Amino acid sequence: MSEHRVRVTQDSGSRWRRRAGEYQTLAEALAAAEPGDTVTVRPGVFKENVLLDKAVTVLPAEGPGTVRIDPPTGVPLTVTAAATVRDLVIEGFHSSAAAVKVTGPQAGATLIGLRVDTHGAVGIEVADQATARLTGCTVSNPSGLGLRLRGGATARIEECEVAEAGQAGLAVLEGSHAELRRCRLHHAVGAGLLLTDPGSRAELTGCELYEIKGSGVLAEARAVGVLTDCAVHRVTGNGLTLDTEAELQLVDCRLHDLPENAADLRDRSTLTLERSTVRSFGRGALSVWDSGTRVRATGCAIEASTGDYPAIWVSDGAQLELADCTLHDLPDALFVLDRDSRATAVDTSFSEIRSSAVSVSSGATVTLERCKVRDAGTGLWFRDHGSGGLLTDCEISEVATGVIVTKGADPVLRDCVVRGSAEAAVYVSAQGRGSFEDCRAVQGKGFGFHVIDGCRTVLTRCRAEQNGRAGFEFSEPGPVVEACTSDDVPPPAPPAPLSPGRPAPALPPPSLPPLPALPPLAGRAPLAALPSPTATETLPTPRTAMAPAPTGPPPPALPQIAPIPDCRPAEEALAELDELIGLATVKQEVRTLIDLISVGRRRRQAGLKAPSLRRHLVFTGSPGTGKTTVARLYGEILAALGVLQRGHLVEVARVDLVGEHIGSTALRTQAAFEQARGGVLFIDEAYTLAPEDGARDFGREAIDTLVKLMEDHRDAVVVIVAGYTAEMERFLSANPGVSSRFSRTITFPDYTDAELLEIARTQCVEHEYQLAAATAEALLGHFATLQRGPTFGNGRTARQVFETMVERHAMRVAQLPDPSTEDLQLLVPADLPVPRG
């Protein structure tokens, strides 16, 4: 038995009482050891149940894995004191016992490098108010739990791994507290992390949960979990499952490759997501059920669904808040249904949504502020009675139908725009209502505002521009219209008389967007149960332009739409130009052009010859120097002077003009030119249309098409091309007719350090901040240190510096116990960006 010999090394305080010694068994050695002693174990297998009830250290004499504790029954290792165990292998096959048990209020175990290979109830258990610290341990327990904390226990677990578990990888129960750093929990059953019971809490940082037959995290019964920089993926159930008032907070986490829901919440549970990513989920990203259940997501991305279900599902009175989030590449993005269910989204974008970006039904409401929807089937669909909400300053573009309101739904939209819809921008039918204030429908292929069935929709100061069919279409009286305008309304003219008995020719019925079908959803409220669209919604009765006069009282007149009014006076646009920071030479050039044009008009009015002026311009200079802003003001001024019909700005780049095959480029260029008719076509980075090695590049076709259009429609559109100075010289030489079409080149200089400071001051005033005197001086010095290469951002850089200062100010002021109003406004030198090394 010499191979099992155990040596006890006494600490210095006990040497006067006895000498160190060697023992045949661990039990003998531990009986002889006193607190502070070290028990060194020779290689071998010990068939003993080891009890550590003293503050001793146990370790192998010849390194990790050389000593195994493997008793025939019972708990192989029990710790009831502040003991340390290093680098042992613990084995056990007792179906109702733990392989390692740390128990009791006096227990304070430190377990380092343990390898637990067991077929028992639990791999490692910390119980009954005990504390433990685990570092570099590995647990494999195909028959039960990996790690368990119960009875108010506390454990700090670092760089450990649960490699296999027949139940949960880690269970935190009965008010216990676990803190994990850089751990891996995988190949578990039921849950990677199980949290349950009031007071139970787990904090995970830099951890990974994967290959779980069940949920990645299961939290219930008022337990709390915080995950930071963690990943949950490759599970068979939900990524996160919350129930019964549980709370989870995820910061900088990643949830992906999940066949079910990324997160499923019920029964008053709460989930907070910050700067986290959810992708590749088979059912939903967030399924939020029941009154009192809440989700708040800030700075998160939800993308790349692999199923056919709504990415976010809010029902049964649940609440959702999204702030600065992106939802991308999804079948449906956000579904809110049932009375008292509510979703709020601020500064959130929805893109590449195959069906509906936002759907509201069964009495639910949404609040959207400064949100963007792009490339979707339907932007927003308010389906039925009681469904509604408030949308403010939102933009919906490149959709089949922008906003649908049906069956008594009554949303309010303010300062919203629907751009480039394939069918109607706004479509109201079947007793839908809705209030639209200061909204715009522009550049759509169908109707701008299409209201049928006599719906009592209220349209106030709405505007329709460049819509393919008409700006406003009402099949019968009902809509309430005030101060709305459209560019397809001709000036009033006396009606032409009809021949007696001959009715006017009938107009073809309008083409309406089909209402998207709802996909089925597994769960308590399947989408198939929602009311389906009726024939009234999709097939409005065709109407004629004029019918024979009916007998009886005349029907109420359809609401009248006014033409789009003229633009603001030139003096106002010129004043705004003068208020721009810097750009003295640019302002002088523009004023010279305006003076020439203005005097030329007056000479023509006086019967004199006017100089022939080409109004097309070349803008050269670095990014962020105000080229787009000046182009917009130039168009407004020309419209005010009567040179252009409308003065609007259409901004395009190479991707908008150049197609993928022969012939498509000319069509794209013509379409962009038509959009700009009556205004300004602004081509940014125009030199990309003429690459240095562009013999077979379709950009040449765009230039050739543009030159011809500028000649054929010389008075209809002003073209401004912009880009870096040297590169624009190449563009102007790409076609013999290009340079002759532009009257002059205006160079936009880089902003000086003082002008950048003034831009930052303007940002402060606009956002209600103040610069301390020392801050302004430091900021001026900061701008002086910036590298001014070809990609220098100029005004954009000044704004980015201001945004960084605001962020650093927030981090600093958040630490103050009771900040004053001055604290909340004043930017100090410490808020400046940290210089790059």
Side-chain angles (χ1 to χ4, degrees):
M1 296 290 293
S2 61
E3 68 276 16
H4 289 175
R5 191 166 294 167
V6 182
R7 173 176 290 276
V8 176
T9 303
Q10 299 171 304
D11 65 358
S12 59
S14 62
R15 290 184 186 276
W16 63 275
R17 286 186 276 117
R18 59 180 175 80
R19 295 195 302 265
E22 294 188 356
Y23 302 88
Q24 294 297 323
T25 66
L26 274 168
E28 293 173 349
L30 292 170
E34 294 185 2
D37 286 350
T38 298
V39 178
T40 306
V41 188
R42 298 275 181 88
V45 178
F46 289 80
K47 301 288 186 178
E48 303 180 47
N49 299 97
V50 178
L51 171 63
L52 301 182
D53 55 1
K54 303 170 185 175
V56 297
T57 298
V58 180
L59 52 82
E62 298 185 14
T66 59
V67 175
R68 293 165 50 200
I69 300 176
D70 183 17
T73 187
V75 179
L77 175 61
T78 302
V79 183
T80 62
T84 299
V85 184
R86 300 181 62 101
D87 299 328
L88 302 185
V89 178
I90 311 297
E91 299 179 353
F93 297 90
H94 197 292
S95 60
S96 61
V100 177
K101 185 171 184 177
V102 183
T103 182
Q106 304 302 317
T110 299
L111 309 178
I112 302 172
L114 259 61
R115 193 175 80 219
V116 179
D117 293 321
T118 184
H119 285 266
V122 187
I124 299 177
E125 178 174 84
V126 187
D128 302 328
Q129 300 182 351
T131 61
R133 179 164 184 168
L134 283 66
T135 304
C137 298
T138 302
V139 177
S140 177
N141 182 19
S143 300
L145 295 164
L147 305 171
R148 179 169 67 187
L149 278 66
R150 63 180 181 85
T154 302
R156 181 180 178 90
I157 307 170
E158 297 180 340
E159 298 180 346
C160 293
E161 178 179 10
V162 175
E164 186 177 9
Q167 299 179 39
L170 168 63
V172 184
L173 321 171
E174 300 172 5
S176 299
H177 182 190
E179 183 178 349
L180 281 73
R181 297 287 185 271
R182 301 177 300 280
C183 295
R184 294 191 300 161
L185 308 175
H186 57 95
H187 291 89
V189 176
L193 169 63
L194 171 63
L195 285 166
T196 187
D197 302 324
S200 297
R201 181 181 179 89
E203 300 177 13
L204 283 70
T205 302
C207 297
E208 187 176 9
L209 294 81
Y210 62 99
E211 296 292 352
I212 309 296
K213 292 183 179 179
S215 297
V217 178
L218 172 58
E220 58 188 9
R222 297 169 59 187
V224 176
V226 179
L227 281 70
T228 304
D229 189 26
C230 293
V232 179
H233 59 103
R234 302 204 309 270
V235 303
T236 63
N238 301 317
L240 312 172
T241 300
L242 290 79
D243 207 341
T244 324
E245 300 183 62
E247 297 181 21
L248 277 184
Q249 178 181 1
L250 274 68
V251 181
D252 297 317
C253 290
R254 301 160 301 283
L255 285 72
H256 59 92
D257 296 306
L258 309 166
E260 296 294 324
N261 298 299
D264 185 275
L265 293 83
R266 302 170 188 261
D267 195 11
R268 304 181 305 283
S269 55
T270 302
L271 174 64
T272 302
L273 298 169
E274 299 180 21
R275 301 184 303 276
S276 296
T277 301
V278 180
R279 62 179 174 84
S280 299
F281 46 90
R283 187 169 292 275
L286 303 171
S287 292
V288 194
W289 310 78
D290 303 331
S291 177
T293 304
R294 303 185 306 277
V295 172
R296 176 174 177 80
T298 304
C300 296
I302 298 173
E303 57 192 19
S305 169
T306 59
D308 296 318
Y309 305 95
I312 302 179
W313 174 272
V314 183
S315 67
D316 300 301
Q319 309 288 313
L320 169 76
E321 296 180 36
L322 303 174
D324 193 25
C325 294
T326 60
L327 289 84
H328 175 76
D329 188 15
L330 307 168
D332 293 282
L334 171 61
F335 269 47
V336 189
L337 63 160
D338 299 328
R339 185 174 180 180
D340 297 326
S341 296
R342 184 176 185 84
T344 300
V346 179
D347 296 318
T348 292
S349 66
F350 304 77
S351 61
E352 294 189 21
I353 311 300
R354 295 185 283 281
S355 186
S356 297
V358 179
S359 174
V360 187
S361 61
S362 304
T365 59
V366 297
T367 301
L368 275 65
E369 183 176 355
R370 299 187 304 277
C371 293
K372 293 185 178 182
V373 176
R374 181 182 60 81
D375 191 7
T378 300
L380 298 102
W381 188 358
F382 298 90
R383 294 176 178 268
D384 47 28
H385 181 74
S387 304
L390 174 63
L391 279 73
T392 307
D393 194 20
C394 295
E395 180 175 344
I396 305 165
S397 61
E398 301 176 36
V399 296
T401 307
V403 180
I404 299 176
V405 183
T406 58
K407 296 183 179 178
D410 194 12
V412 175
L413 283 79
R414 295 176 180 150
D415 296 299
C416 296
V417 59
V418 181
R419 189 185 312 277
S421 57
E423 295 291 341
V426 173
Y427 174 58
V428 186
S429 70
Q431 291 75 54
R433 294 179 67 90
S435 296
F436 298 83
E437 303 173 13
D438 299 295
C439 294
R440 293 192 299 143
V442 298
Q443 301 172 0
K445 295 181 179 179
F447 295 115
F449 297 85
H450 191 184
V451 184
I452 68 172
D453 301 331
C455 293
R456 298 289 293 173
T457 302
V458 179
L459 302 167
T460 307
R461 298 181 302 279
C462 292
R463 179 174 175 132
E465 304 175 45
Q466 303 180 63
N467 291 286
R469 301 192 67 180
F472 294 80
E473 174 74 2
F474 308 134
S475 62
E476 56 190 89
V480 179
V481 176
E482 179 183 350
C484 293
T485 58
S486 176
D487 64 357
D488 67 344
V489 177
L498 293 173
S499 300
R502 182 180 178 186
L507 295 175
S511 172
L512 298 180
L515 296 181
L518 294 174
L521 176 70
R524 294 189 293 181
L527 289 180
L530 293 175
S532 59
T534 64
T536 308
E537 296 172 64
T538 56
L539 299 173
T541 304
R543 66 181 181 92
T544 60
M546 188 176 294
T551 60
L558 292 173
Q560 298 299 309
I561 306 298
I564 290 178
D566 293 336
C567 58
R568 61 176 172 169
E571 291 77 12
E572 293 185 16
L574 281 168
E576 184 177 339
L577 177 67
D578 289 337
E579 290 174 0
L580 295 177
I581 295 170
L583 305 178
T585 57
V586 173
K587 295 172 185 176
Q588 183 59 46
E589 289 275 6
V590 173
R591 277 196 169 275
T592 299
L593 279 171
I594 300 305
D595 291 343
L596 286 169
I597 292 170
S598 179
V599 172
R601 289 181 66 246
R602 292 187 179 184
R603 285 178 61 86
R604 280 191 295 271
Q605 292 169 356
L608 302 173
K609 289 185 178 180
S612 178
L613 294 176
R614 296 194 181 276
R615 300 159 296 177
H616 310 302
L617 303 175
V618 178
F619 286 178
T620 64
S622 301
T625 48
K627 294 188 287 292
T628 305
T629 300
V630 172
R632 174 179 60 80
L633 293 174
Y634 182 58
E636 286 192 51
I637 295 168
L638 293 183
L641 294 175
V643 177
L644 290 175
Q645 182 179 2
R646 297 175 58 203
H648 66 293
L649 179 75
V650 174
E651 182 176 0
V652 297
R654 175 187 168 92
V655 68
D656 304 301
L657 303 178
V658 178
E660 296 80 14
H661 52 80
I662 296 175
S664 62
T665 296
L667 294 175
R668 288 192 180 188
T669 305
Q670 290 172 1
F673 196 90
E674 284 301 316
Q675 287 184 10
R677 183 176 290 275
V680 175
L681 178 63
F682 182 80
I683 306 176
D684 197 16
E685 297 182 347
Y687 56 84
T688 60
L689 298 174
E692 293 182 1
D693 184 17
R696 303 180 64 182
D697 187 82
F698 291 140
R700 302 281 179 170
E701 183 181 355
I703 295 175
D704 296 342
T705 303
L706 186 65
V707 168
K708 186 176 188 305
L709 291 171
M710 291 169 67
E711 181 63 30
D712 294 344
H713 308 278
R714 63 178 65 186
D715 295 327
V717 176
V718 167
V719 177
I720 299 177
V721 292
Y724 294 111
T725 303
E727 286 80 354
M728 289 305 297
E729 292 177 359
R730 184 178 71 242
F731 168 78
L732 292 174
S733 63
N735 181 300
V738 171
S739 58
S740 65
R741 297 296 188 275
F742 294 92
S743 62
R744 66 181 62 201
T745 296
I746 298 178
T747 301
F748 285 67
D750 286 346
Y751 287 111
T752 65
D753 298 338
E755 289 168 346
L756 293 176
L757 176 60
E758 192 61 29
I759 293 173
R761 288 187 187 276
T762 303
Q763 292 288 302
C764 288
V765 172
E766 180 180 346
H767 295 87
E768 298 184 347
Y769 284 87
Q770 296 178 0
L771 283 179
T775 310
E777 183 177 351
L779 189 55
L780 186 64
H782 174 78
F783 287 134
T785 64
L786 298 179
Q787 295 292 326
R788 299 202 174 217
T791 59
F792 179 64
N794 283 283
R796 190 179 306 120
T797 296
R799 289 186 290 272
Q800 289 171 347
V801 168
F802 169 74
E803 292 169 359
T804 301
M805 293 176 68
V806 168
E807 293 174 1
R808 291 176 61 83
H809 166 270
M811 295 170 61
R812 174 174 57 81
V813 173
Q815 308 303 316
L816 301 178
D818 186 18
S820 64
T821 302
E822 182 180 8
D823 292 331
L824 295 171
Q825 289 184 297
L826 191 64
L827 299 175
V828 301
D831 298 327
L832 262 67
V834 177
R836 295 182 179 178

